Amino acid sequence: VKGARSTEIQILGFMILFGLFGVSLFALGYSGFVYLAIILAISLWWFISALRTLKKLPTKDWGRKVFLNSLTIILLASLALAIGPIAP
């Protein structure tokens, strides 16, 4: 066990990977511009909100907030994939 700081860094790294993999769906031609705009917006919002609250909240509260936000992100990413083909 490496500790809370290591876990926080890993979480932030996985957030970046999530955004990159989300954008890769557009880059590989599996989605359109609407999906790209949505995935970029939600990925940036998720990462920036996590960074802003990292030092402001206790570790346990920060982890809970990031987890709850991740549920919202997954829902929005799924909706973006669903509406992508029917959006202009």
Side-chain angles (χ1 to χ4, degrees):
V1 178
K2 293 189 177 184
R5 184 70 179 153
S6 175
T7 303
E8 292 167 348
I9 292 169
Q10 289 176 23
I11 289 171
L12 293 171
F14 281 115
M15 287 178 174
I16 293 169
L17 287 175
F18 176 85
L20 291 175
F21 285 124
V23 170
S24 72
L25 290 176
F26 172 78
L28 295 172
Y30 292 110
S31 62
F33 286 106
V34 172
Y35 169 79
L36 177 65
I38 293 171
I39 202 71
L40 281 174
I42 63 175
S43 295
L44 285 173
W45 170 79
W46 188 26
F47 187 74
I48 290 169
S49 70
L51 281 179
R52 284 185 179 170
T53 57
L54 184 61
K55 296 296 179 188
K56 294 179 183 177
L57 295 175
T59 302
K60 188 174 181 180
D61 293 339
W62 181 82
R64 184 176 294 121
K65 180 177 176 62
V66 169
F67 172 72
L68 292 174
N69 285 345
S70 74
L71 297 177
T72 304
I73 294 299
I74 291 171
L75 173 67
L76 292 174
S78 297
L79 289 173
L81 276 172
I83 66 167
I86 59 175

